[in-house]
Amino acid sequence: MTLAADPAALDLRTQATALMRRKRIGSMMLPVGVLVYLVYALISFDVLGLLGRASTENAATLLSDTWSYKTHVTRDNRSGAVSYAVEGERKGEYPEGMHPDFVTEDGETTITDLGDGHIVTFSPDGVSYDIPGYGLVTANPGRSGVQATFPEGDLPDWINASGNRVAITTDAGRLTITRNRSEVFHYSAGWELFFFTLDSPYHGMGVADLASRAMGGETSQIFDDFWNNTMWRHGDVAWALVETVLMAFLGTFGAAIVALPLAFLAARNFTPLKVVRFGFRRVFDFLRGTDALIWTVVLSRAFGPGPLTGALAILLTDTGSFGKMFSEALENTDGKQIEGIASTGAKPVQRYRFGVIPQVTPVFLSQILYFFESNTRSATIIGAITGGGIGLLLTQAMITQKDWEEVSYYIILVIALVFAMDSFSGWLRRKLIKGD
Amino acid sequence: MPDIEIIHDRYMEHTRRKRLYGGMLLAVFVALMAGGFMTADARNAGGFWDGLGAIFDFPAGVISEAVEKAHTLPATMLEYLPALVETVNIAAVATLIGAGGGIVLSMLATRGLARWPRAIPLFRRIMDVMRAVPEIVIALVLIFVLGGGPVPAMIAIAFHTIGALGKLFSEVNENASLKPVEGLESVGARWAQRMVLGVMPQVAPNYLSYALLRFEINIRASAILGFVGAGGIGYELKNAIAWGIGRYDQAAAIFILLFLTIVVVDQLSSHLRDLLTHGRKKEMLA
């Protein structure tokens, strides 16, 4: 008797095949469904339109500003006065009589070396730009216009010229000439004036020189000049970082302190009264459901912008989360230990202290530290909304759309901070839970 | 008897020292909390004690206005429904992409499953970095480059989600049995086939459970990112609040929508997760 001949077996086989087919179709449905949903999202988010609108110019500015800075060499064409300023900002201006290394001053003539043979000369006779591989561009800006002369042939597209304005953008730098002003942008790698601004006597000093001066008793002045650097404001940035951590710290641990007693009231094995339990659970649900966003908005109305508002918003949301998690952990405690303590004649408070707390402490601590870690990240964004901490500095620097090197600096600091908090809380967790 | 006395003395000394350390730790903690509170209070625009009295002013204003305009409230809520859908969509797409990326990264970072075992530390580090970068940083940079809208928020949340889920998934992977993988390898399956056919069926319920939890978190993140300019209900909330008194019913409508969404998703996902972990047990026992 073969299997195929047996009608019962044949039936079984068709059933099995049908089942397999159904299962295969079923397992196909999930990826197809996900794909359909993603296509819908692609359309509803208008991704194609967005790609069209995306500004590659912005991206390029962001990238180049991140690793380089520009120095403006500006001449007032009427008075002939030349000034130098880092990023064209007043706080980055070179003091009278000082000039960057790439500039040579020779009487009335100022020669700016942009590197790779690109030389821009400001002289009483006019402005000239020697571009290797193209030729010499000269201009004599004055009342009647820029009056520029170019080498023979059509103008390349990196030169933009009209009667009143000439702009030349090369890989080495940029020259703009108008009737009243001639300006050269010189690009250099790095973050400008990161340690000392130009008005500090310590600007441009080597590490060894600084160290010897520090030994000589100038440590506090050196530190002061660095800390109050007007360009980078290291002191303010450090405070912002402290504020961010403070928000996370106060919020997380405050929430834990508030939630701990409440969790006992919401745990089945500690509160026999169902009404009380139900009530506290709904309170936790409400606190959690009203998101940190809503709490932040509501609280900043009462307390104004600042780190305290952020801390309270984190505290309220996390009280809900901790209350829920703690009460679940309390429900999972082992009753035998409590019975054992009770059998020695312990009073209720002692029963909790020696029977319950040692059981739940490791669980609670690890949850609290995990939240502390993730709240450091949340504090950045809450700070951006309430106006406190590094989040505020980050959004401010972004809004001006100018100081991208500062944006990169803050981003690096935020990531470093989160990393540091991660490893710190991991270390603490190991120390407190596994150690002693 | 002296033996016992020595032990007793040592025990008491040990306990005393432990208590001392515990007390010191507590004192440091209390000092930190108090000092931190005072610092935060000093650096806040409004003081804590002044604010405490005014804490209900804004909610009261919102509620009274909402009650006053109760008859139009459902219509207002309906008006903001598309923004809410956008917020949920941001979270959902980010969770899907994050889960996809997380699955691949987690498998590349699990011992026994990795395609290139030597590169395991590298992939772990990548996940750590992705997890550490706060969403707002990526969102703000992308808003500058791409312009405002849901896509920057979605990418930012997805990036973070890949790292966060990747770590959780790789913990799940460590508990997966390697036997099916070896079996598939013996019949000549490629790496991708081994992962999809040998590992995925074992870990799918746990993956799903973590992804649901993440979805919940991502809805909150997507709402909050909207507030800094990334579209969705957060953006509408910012506008509604900026309008001020007279338009608070709009804010109330958004509060209610957001609250309901979070609670519903929270309940739904916890129910589903319960089913995924306990339902299976019941099935197996039956």
Side-chain angles (χ1 to χ4, degrees):
Chain A
M1 192 173 76
T2 59
L3 271 174
D6 186 351
L10 197 67
D11 193 38
L12 215 62
R13 193 174 150 177
T14 22
Q15 266 181 23
T17 329
L19 186 71
M20 283 294 279
R21 196 179 308 129
R22 265 210 309 280
K23 282 209 160 175
R24 198 170 294 165
I25 292 172
S27 66
M28 282 292 286
M29 287 306 276
L30 185 71
V32 169
V34 168
L35 206 69
V36 168
Y37 175 72
L38 285 180
V39 169
Y40 151 75
L42 197 80
I43 295 164
S44 93
F45 288 174
D46 190 23
V47 174
L48 296 175
L50 190 81
L51 286 180
R53 284 194 306 274
S55 156
T56 45
E57 199 183 312
N58 281 358
T61 323
L62 181 68
L63 275 179
S64 73
D65 250 23
T66 299
W67 63 271
S68 71
Y69 68 96
K70 60 183 190 299
T71 312
H72 298 215
V73 178
T74 315
R75 187 182 74 160
D76 188 323
N77 289 337
R78 282 171 299 190
S79 67
V82 179
S83 62
Y84 312 96
V86 170
E87 293 286 353
E89 286 181 50
R90 231 166 54 79
K91 51 193 177 192
E93 259 172 29
Y94 278 71
E96 224 18 73
M98 254 170 82
H99 60 79
D101 300 337
F102 54 85
V103 172
T104 333
E105 278 182 340
D106 182 16
E108 298 263 289
T109 313
T110 308
I111 300 163
T112 310
D113 184 356
L114 295 178
D116 294 331
H118 291 253
I119 306 281
V120 178
T121 315
F122 294 157
S123 69
D125 311 331
V127 179
S128 72
Y129 185 3
D130 188 5
I131 307 165
Y134 179 66
L136 189 73
V137 177
T138 56
N140 198 354
R143 210 162 270 224
S144 51
V146 173
Q147 297 178 22
T149 47
F150 299 95
E152 298 276 306
D154 291 335
L155 278 186
D157 55 6
W158 41 267
I159 294 183
N160 191 334
S162 69
N164 286 325
R165 189 170 181 278
V166 171
I168 306 172
T169 315
T170 62
D171 288 338
R174 188 185 153 100
L175 171 68
T176 332
I177 311 168
T178 60
R179 275 199 282 186
N180 299 330
R181 244 156 52 118
S182 314
E183 190 167 41
V184 187
F185 291 175
H186 175 274
Y187 292 90
S188 350
W191 286 349
E192 78 286 1
L193 315 178
F194 185 75
F195 295 102
F196 302 106
T197 41
L198 290 162
D199 52 4
S200 159
Y202 306 107
H203 175 74
M205 234 178 239
V207 178
D209 214 1
L210 275 179
S212 76
R213 277 177 177 250
M215 292 296 188
E218 290 180 33
T219 318
S220 71
Q221 279 135 286
I222 294 176
F223 181 75
D224 209 47
D225 272 11
F226 167 72
W227 198 242
N228 299 320
N229 182 332
T230 46
M231 205 80 170
W232 290 87
R233 304 189 322 203
H234 295 291
D236 292 347
V237 174
W239 258 113
L241 288 174
V242 169
E243 275 186 4
T244 303
V245 176
L246 197 60
M247 276 191 245
F249 174 76
L250 284 180
T252 316
F253 287 93
I257 292 170
V258 176
L260 188 62
L262 299 183
F264 278 93
L265 294 171
R268 200 183 306 124
N269 43 351
F270 294 98
T271 306
L273 265 175
K274 205 175 169 197
V275 187
V276 177
R277 228 159 58 213
F278 183 82
F280 276 102
R281 290 205 177 168
R282 291 297 84 79
V283 169
F284 293 152
D285 283 346
F286 174 74
L287 288 173
R288 239 153 30 91
T290 314
D291 188 36
L293 171 63
I294 300 178
W295 286 126
T296 311
V297 167
V298 169
L299 290 173
S300 59
R301 285 290 163 141
F303 297 104
L308 188 71
T309 312
L312 288 174
I314 294 176
L315 190 148
L316 281 174
T317 321
D318 282 4
T319 300
S321 308
F322 281 148
K324 183 169 186 259
M325 284 173 1
F326 287 180
S327 65
E328 277 166 10
L330 284 172
E331 283 178 1
N332 288 331
T333 47
D334 188 359
K336 295 215 180 73
Q337 294 190 28
I338 308 169
E339 278 169 31
I341 304 274
S343 73
T344 63
K347 288 190 274 297
V349 176
Q350 287 171 325
R351 261 180 259 166
Y352 288 154
R353 167 65 187 84
F354 295 102
V356 182
I357 296 287
Q359 281 193 62
V360 293
T361 309
V363 182
F364 285 8
L365 268 180
S366 112
Q367 283 169 344
I368 291 169
L369 286 175
Y370 177 73
F371 266 69
F372 182 37
E373 224 174 280
S374 94
N375 277 339
T376 312
R377 273 190 294 272
S378 314
T380 320
I381 188 159
I382 288 177
I385 296 174
T386 59
I390 195 79
L392 177 69
L393 286 188
L394 191 63
T395 38
Q396 275 178 346
M398 286 255 172
I399 287 165
T400 59
Q401 303 218 338
K402 197 175 57 166
D403 302 321
W404 289 108
E405 63 284 345
E406 269 160 47
V407 172
S408 338
Y409 177 48
Y410 299 151
I411 289 177
I412 291 169
L413 283 178
V414 167
I415 295 172
L417 178 73
V418 172
F419 252 94
M421 293 315 287
D422 274 15
S423 23
F424 172 69
S425 89
W427 171 82
L428 204 63
R429 197 163 23 211
R430 278 192 300 278
K431 197 90 181 161
L432 288 174
I433 293 163
K434 287 194 184 137
D436 78 87
Chain B
M1 269 344 216
D3 267 2
I4 290 179
E5 256 168 44
I6 291 170
I7 292 173
H8 176 260
D9 285 352
R10 277 192 190 152
Y11 173 75
M12 288 313 282
E13 199 195 334
H14 180 75
T15 316
R16 222 173 296 132
R17 203 182 316 132
K18 233 179 147 179
R19 273 205 195 132
L20 185 68
Y21 284 162
M24 267 156 61
L25 216 62
L26 193 70
V28 168
F29 177 73
V30 169
L32 271 176
M33 283 299 281
F37 173 77
M38 253 117 82
T39 317
D41 196 23
R43 294 184 72 84
N44 217 58
F48 178 70
W49 304 110
D50 302 335
L52 213 55
I55 198 165
F56 292 112
D57 289 0
F58 178 62
V62 170
I63 290 169
S64 75
E65 212 166 298
V67 170
E68 210 174 284
K69 297 179 186 169
H71 55 286
T72 58
L73 206 57
T76 319
M77 278 166 68
L78 210 62
E79 195 183 308
Y80 285 114
L81 205 58
L84 180 71
V85 170
E86 187 169 78
T87 293
V88 175
N89 270 338
I90 292 171
V93 174
T95 312
L96 281 174
I97 295 175
I103 289 173
V104 175
L105 267 185
S106 76
M107 285 177 173
L108 289 171
T110 311
R111 230 170 292 122
L113 300 178
R115 180 87 173 74
W116 304 283
R118 279 163 173 279
I120 288 176
L122 172 73
F123 288 116
R124 292 221 169 138
R125 210 44 61 216
I126 291 176
M127 291 195 295
D128 286 347
V129 172
M130 291 178 102
R131 213 151 34 93
V133 182
E135 285 131 350
I136 186 174
V137 167
I138 301 174
L140 285 175
V141 170
L142 286 176
I143 287 172
F144 175 63
V145 174
L146 296 175
V151 178
M154 190 269 285
I155 296 174
I157 298 174
F159 190 82
H160 182 79
T161 306
I162 289 175
L165 281 183
K167 182 174 183 260
L168 293 171
F169 286 177
S170 73
E171 275 163 19
V172 174
N173 291 347
E174 303 215 318
N175 294 323
S177 160
L178 288 178
K179 293 222 171 85
V181 182
E182 284 159 15
L184 282 163
E185 195 172 9
S186 71
V187 297
R190 280 180 289 116
W191 182 76
Q193 288 171 326
R194 293 204 296 272
M195 293 303 119
V196 173
L197 300 171
V199 183
M200 288 285 276
Q202 297 185 56
V203 293
N206 287 331
Y207 276 14
L208 208 57
S209 156
Y210 279 133
L212 278 171
L213 193 66
R214 198 67 225 178
F215 178 53
E216 221 180 289
I217 299 169
N218 282 351
I219 287 189
R220 293 164 188 261
S222 127
I224 209 166
L225 279 183
F227 210 87
V228 292
I233 195 107
Y235 185 69
E236 302 291 343
L237 178 61
K238 188 183 186 175
N239 290 338
I241 286 173
W243 285 326
I245 298 171
R247 300 292 285 274
Y248 277 158
D249 58 318
Q250 317 255 342
I254 294 172
F255 281 154
I256 295 170
L257 274 178
L258 200 56
F259 179 75
L260 286 180
T261 312
I262 288 172
V263 169
V264 165
V265 171
D266 190 290
Q267 296 293 329
L268 215 67
S269 102
S270 92
H271 179 72
L272 276 173
R273 277 184 289 133
D274 216 40
L275 222 65
L276 280 169
T277 43
H278 298 297
R280 298 220 135 217
K281 247 181 240 159
K282 236 179 265 164
E283 208 173 85
M284 271 191 276
L285 288 173

